[in-house]
């Protein structure tokens, strides 16, 4: 039987089925292994891991813990509640969200249809990538960071997110492994801007958040490229060096003119964890700023859904479930729920299987019904052939017979999902 147990109950002879730490670099060769000695347990605890999954068929059992089936049932129930808006109401988030909320004086772009925005979003994403590439290059060459070059692109990203956030967010599913560092920065910025919009921050605050997100990994320019681009797992010594990038980011940005404190908090705290197990300062709870807490959630989400040379990205729906589980310890729970409400149970660009066994790409989410997005149907699994694409709004009563049966990994079907996102 597979079950989840607290690390305090681990002992030699147990078989680790899942370390349950998708964002953590660890020294073990695999996420699954037999615990041979006390040192392995100490390493797990040192990593800040709170709970793991064990397989009692392959190792010792313990008289506590929850079966994986029980955990999944609880997660399913919570996700359904979050999807229906029951857990993350406007008045139950961290107090700081209330003091920074939109006051009604900002000029905000009018919403448009997905198909109207996606072409504009493609241009904005390309420009953002180009700007980040140049800024990272300048920083690596020791030049002054010209943060003012970000002003136009941040403003454009905000405009696109407010007109139709799903256009820009869906393009974040188009990944290139060799461009991870700067594409990750742009993805984090788009997601954080959308998150801030969901929390109803004023526009000035959203601009600072977007700037901090685009620059949050600037310190990686001081990390040796042999470590930054290493195709294998990092050694303990290399990971210590890699973790310094957060401190370097803060040092660079704190000396950069016109960088607001909010942007600094995004960059300096995106690896802190709510239970105090993060880095570089092991901040805990509300000692992490609201913006740092938001950045931590978004950074982990994008990192785990991305393909890396040593890591195959996981489908967004799987990652959101894991983050909901991890919010018991590592993230502020209400913020995680609100982030899920922001991006949807099936985020834009995700592939889903419908009840009729056809495959579809999610184009748009319905805020009032996150389990019923707008999709483009593209493939029939029974006939194992493409079909004429058709857009369906699953929230409409006449489309109830379709419905989402499950999420799918487009790579399992050899289908390039990005080809079906409108140009």
């Amino acid at each position: 039987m597979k079950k989840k147990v607290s690390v305090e109950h681990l002992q030699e002879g147990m078989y680790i089925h899942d370390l349950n730490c998708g964002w953590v670099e660890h020294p073990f060769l695999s996420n699954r292994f037999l615990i041979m000695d006390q040192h392995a347990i100490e390493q797990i605890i040192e990593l800040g891991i709170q709970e793991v999954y064990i397989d009692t068929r392959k190792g010792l059992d313990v008289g506590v813990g929850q079966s994986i089936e029980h955990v999944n049932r609880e997660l399913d129930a919570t996700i359904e509640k979050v999807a229906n808006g029951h857990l993350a109401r406007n008045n139950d988030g961290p107090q700081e969200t209330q003091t920074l909320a939109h006051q009604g004086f900002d000029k905000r772009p009018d919403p448009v249809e997905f198909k109207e925005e996606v072409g504009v979003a493609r241009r904005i994403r390309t420009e953002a990538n180009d700007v980040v590439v140049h800024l990272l290059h300048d920083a690596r060459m020791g030049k002054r960071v010209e943060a003012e070059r970000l002003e136009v692109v941040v403003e454009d990203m905000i405009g696109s997110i407010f007109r139709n956030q799903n256009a820009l967010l869906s393009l974040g599913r188009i990944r290139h492994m060799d461009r991870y560092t700067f594409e990750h920065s742009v993805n984090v910025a788009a997601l954080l801007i959308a998150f801030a919009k969901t929390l109803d921050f004023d526009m000035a605050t959203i601009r600072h958040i977007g700037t901090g997100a685009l620059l949050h990994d600037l310190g990686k320019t001081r990390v040796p490229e042999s470590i930054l681009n290493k195709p294998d797992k990092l050694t303990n010594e290399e990971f210590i060096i890699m973790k310094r990038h957060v401190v370097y980011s803060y040092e660079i940005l704190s000396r950069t003119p016109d960088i607001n404190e909010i942007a600094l908090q995004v960059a300096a705290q995106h690896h802190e964890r709510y239970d105090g197990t993060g880095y570089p300062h092991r901040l805990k709870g509300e000692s992490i700023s609201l913006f740092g807490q938001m950045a931590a959630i978004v950074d982990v989400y994008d990192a785990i859904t991305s393909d890396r040379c040593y890591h195959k990205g996981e489908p967004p729906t799987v990652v959101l479930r894991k983050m909901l589980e991890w919010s018991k310890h590592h993230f502020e729970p209400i913020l995680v729920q609100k982030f899920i409400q922001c991006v949807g149970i099936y985020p834009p660009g995700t592939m889903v299987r419908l009840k009729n066994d056809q495959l579809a790409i999610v184009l748009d989410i319905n805020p009032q019904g996150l389990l019923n997005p707008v999709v483009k149907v593209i493939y029939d699994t029974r006939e194992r052939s493409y079909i004429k694409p058709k857009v369906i709004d699953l929230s409409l009563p006449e489309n109830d017979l379709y419905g989402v049966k499950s999420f799918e990994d487009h790579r399992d079907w050899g289908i390039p999902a990005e080809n079906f996102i409108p140009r």
Side-chain angles (χ1 to χ4, degrees):
M1 180 176 73
K2 299 179 182 71
K3 60 196 297 189
K4 183 166 72 172
V5 299
S6 170
V7 294
E8 65 187 36
H9 296 300
L10 292 179
Q11 54 186 283
E12 295 176 32
M14 287 183 172
Y15 185 87
I16 299 292
H17 173 73
D18 182 358
L19 281 171
N20 200 29
C21 63
W23 72 91
V24 176
E25 292 281 354
H26 60 73
F28 305 106
L29 295 177
S30 169
N31 275 327
R32 299 180 181 182
F33 57 91
L34 184 68
I35 298 178
M36 302 297 293
D37 52 37
Q38 184 63 30
H39 178 61
I41 298 174
E42 293 170 356
Q43 285 181 300
I44 293 172
I45 295 173
E46 178 62 27
L47 287 168
I49 298 171
Q50 301 276 9
E51 297 173 318
V52 300
Y53 287 92
I54 63 171
D55 189 338
T56 61
R57 296 172 302 176
K58 298 180 179 180
L60 297 179
D61 195 0
V62 64
V64 295
Q66 293 179 318
S67 71
I68 194 168
E69 292 80 11
H70 179 82
V71 172
N72 286 333
R73 284 195 299 271
E74 286 190 339
L75 285 173
D76 287 340
T78 303
I79 284 175
E80 186 170 351
K81 290 179 181 178
V82 172
N84 292 322
H86 293 319
L87 296 186
R89 297 179 296 276
N90 290 333
N91 61 356
D92 63 1
Q95 185 60 41
E96 195 172 352
T97 64
Q98 307 305 315
T99 62
L100 291 170
H102 168 51
Q103 299 297 313
F105 301 110
D106 294 324
K107 171 64 176 175
R108 301 193 168 201
D110 294 327
V112 301
E113 294 293 323
F114 179 94
K115 61 184 179 181
E116 293 181 51
E117 184 61 29
V118 70
V120 178
R122 284 183 184 276
R123 174 186 60 78
I124 292 171
R125 179 176 170 79
T126 298
E127 292 175 354
N129 282 336
D130 290 344
V131 169
V132 172
V133 167
H134 284 104
L135 287 176
L136 291 175
H137 178 267
D138 288 349
R140 189 169 288 280
M141 294 296 103
K143 297 180 181 179
R144 182 180 76 85
V145 176
E146 298 177 349
E148 59 271 17
R149 294 172 63 179
L150 291 176
E151 291 179 5
V152 173
V153 80
V154 168
E155 202 67 39
D156 286 346
M157 292 180 74
I158 292 172
S160 182
I161 290 294
F162 271 86
R163 287 190 297 271
N164 189 310
Q165 72 175 41
N166 298 310
L168 192 56
L169 296 189
S170 68
L171 298 177
R173 300 299 308 145
I174 303 174
R175 311 295 182 96
H176 303 87
M177 196 182 304
D178 57 341
R179 305 179 192 172
Y180 173 77
T181 298
F182 60 87
E183 286 189 343
H184 171 66
S185 296
V186 174
N187 288 342
V188 167
L191 287 162
L192 262 179
I193 289 169
F195 197 4
K197 169 177 169 283
T198 296
L199 295 178
D200 205 23
F201 288 157
D202 63 81
M203 294 296 270
T205 298
I206 296 176
R207 292 185 191 99
H208 297 317
I209 290 173
T211 299
L214 286 173
L215 298 173
H216 79 284
D217 273 343
L218 197 62
K220 287 185 176 179
T221 58
R222 291 189 183 179
V223 175
E225 291 195 37
S226 60
I227 294 177
L228 195 62
N229 299 320
K230 184 178 178 180
D232 303 312
K233 291 181 67 67
L234 300 179
T235 65
N236 286 342
E237 293 73 20
E238 290 169 336
F239 185 48
I240 289 172
I241 294 172
M242 177 65 87
K243 289 197 294 186
R244 292 176 187 161
H245 81 272
V246 183
V247 175
Y248 296 150
S249 291
Y250 180 81
E251 290 176 351
I252 295 170
L253 293 179
S254 62
R255 295 197 300 267
T256 301
D258 301 321
I259 293 294
N260 185 273
E261 179 63 24
I262 292 173
L264 282 174
Q265 291 172 351
V266 168
Q269 299 176 357
H270 70 277
H271 279 293
E272 300 290 354
R273 296 292 176 260
Y274 205 67
D275 59 357
T277 60
Y279 64 87
H281 301 300
R282 300 183 76 86
L283 300 179
K284 185 175 183 179
E286 298 306 314
S287 61
I288 309 170
S289 72
L290 174 60
F291 312 109
Q293 293 176 39
M294 292 168 61
I297 292 168
V298 170
D299 182 74
V300 166
Y301 171 78
D302 188 72
I304 302 180
T305 55
S306 299
D307 283 336
R308 309 286 294 278
C309 49
Y310 55 85
H311 163 80
K312 179 182 177 182
E314 296 189 55
T317 302
V318 173
V319 176
L320 291 171
R321 284 174 62 88
K322 297 300 291 184
M323 295 190 70
L324 191 61
E325 179 182 356
W326 294 332
S327 69
K328 180 179 177 181
H329 301 288
H330 302 295
F331 306 106
E332 205 287 325
I334 296 299
L335 279 179
V336 170
Q337 294 167 22
K338 290 190 174 185
F339 178 67
I340 293 173
Q341 290 187 330
C342 169
V343 299
I345 305 300
Y346 307 109
T350 301
M351 177 176 283
V352 294
R353 180 192 290 260
L354 304 182
K355 292 177 182 177
N356 62 358
D357 286 323
Q358 292 179 340
L359 301 182
I361 305 299
V362 176
L363 298 181
D364 215 341
I365 61 174
N366 288 304
Q368 306 308 317
L370 299 182
L371 295 173
N372 296 298
V374 177
V375 302
K376 177 183 281 188
V377 182
I378 60 171
Y379 191 86
D380 190 320
T381 63
R382 295 173 182 172
E383 299 294 331
R384 301 193 75 82
S385 64
Y386 288 100
I387 58 178
K388 183 178 180 180
K390 178 173 63 173
V391 176
I392 299 175
D393 185 344
L394 297 179
S395 69
L396 299 179
E398 60 264 30
N399 294 325
D400 187 56
L401 291 177
Y402 291 93
V404 175
K405 184 177 182 180
S406 64
F407 67 88
E408 294 283 333
D409 190 333
H410 67 91
R411 293 167 300 194
D412 293 340
W413 293 92
I415 296 176
E418 61 269 21
N419 290 356
F420 295 93
I421 298 174
R423 295 284 172 177

